[in-house]
């Protein structure tokens, strides 16, 4: 089984940069979740798609820890896009899976 590429901290985010620790939390969370998805036996394509979806959420909230976003934050982010119902459903599913995993992993 091929392991999808893991997320890395963008080189322009320096340790002293405001929000740098939150960026690292996103990176760690997405990488750990990716490993869990891989261990669950999902296909590399499915994993890449889900990781991409959560990465888009991360890009919109780089200055906030993923563990500090509220359900209102998540609903607001989902609602800020003009997605068709099927796309909205897949993004909603990815968010539920990511935060269900985070709860189990004690984040």
């Amino acid at each position: 089984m091929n392991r999808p590429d893991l997320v890395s901290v963008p080189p322009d985010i320096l340790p002293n940069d405001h929000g740098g620790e939150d960026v690292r939390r996103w990176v760690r969370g997405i990488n750990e979740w990716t490993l869990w998805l891989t261990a669950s036996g999902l296909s590399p394509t499915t994993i890449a798609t889900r990781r991409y979806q959560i990465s888009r959420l991360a890009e919109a909230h780089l200055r906030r820890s993923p563990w500090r976003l509220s359900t209102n934050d998540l609903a607001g982010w989902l609602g800020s896009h003009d997605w068709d119902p099927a796309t909205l459903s897949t993004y909603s599913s990815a968010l539920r899976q990511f935060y269900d995993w985070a709860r189990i992993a004690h984040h």
Side-chain angles (χ1 to χ4, degrees):
M1 175 185 328
N2 294 331
R3 188 175 91 182
D5 292 333
L6 299 179
V7 177
S8 63
V9 175
D12 59 331
I13 303 293
L14 302 174
N16 293 332
D17 183 51
H18 176 69
E21 185 56 35
D22 290 331
V23 171
R24 286 186 285 280
R25 284 185 181 104
W26 277 110
V27 170
R28 274 193 306 269
I30 292 170
N31 284 343
E32 290 173 11
W33 183 57
T34 298
L35 293 173
W36 182 81
L37 292 174
T38 302
S40 298
L42 296 176
S43 75
T45 301
T46 298
I47 294 168
T49 299
R50 290 185 184 160
R51 192 180 67 237
Y52 170 77
Q53 292 166 326
I54 296 303
S55 294
R56 287 195 60 191
L57 174 69
E59 288 170 4
H61 295 92
L62 281 178
R63 303 285 185 220
R64 296 186 58 198
S65 168
W67 322 130
R68 299 276 185 214
L69 296 179
S70 69
T71 54
N72 285 340
D73 293 325
L74 299 175
W77 181 77
L78 287 170
S80 70
H81 297 87
D82 187 26
W83 289 326
D84 63 60
T87 301
L88 179 59
S89 178
T90 62
Y91 272 83
S92 295
S93 177
L95 265 64
R96 277 192 306 276
Q97 291 170 0
F98 179 72
Y99 283 102
D100 283 348
W101 163 81
R103 183 180 37 81
I104 292 165
H106 303 287
H107 281 288

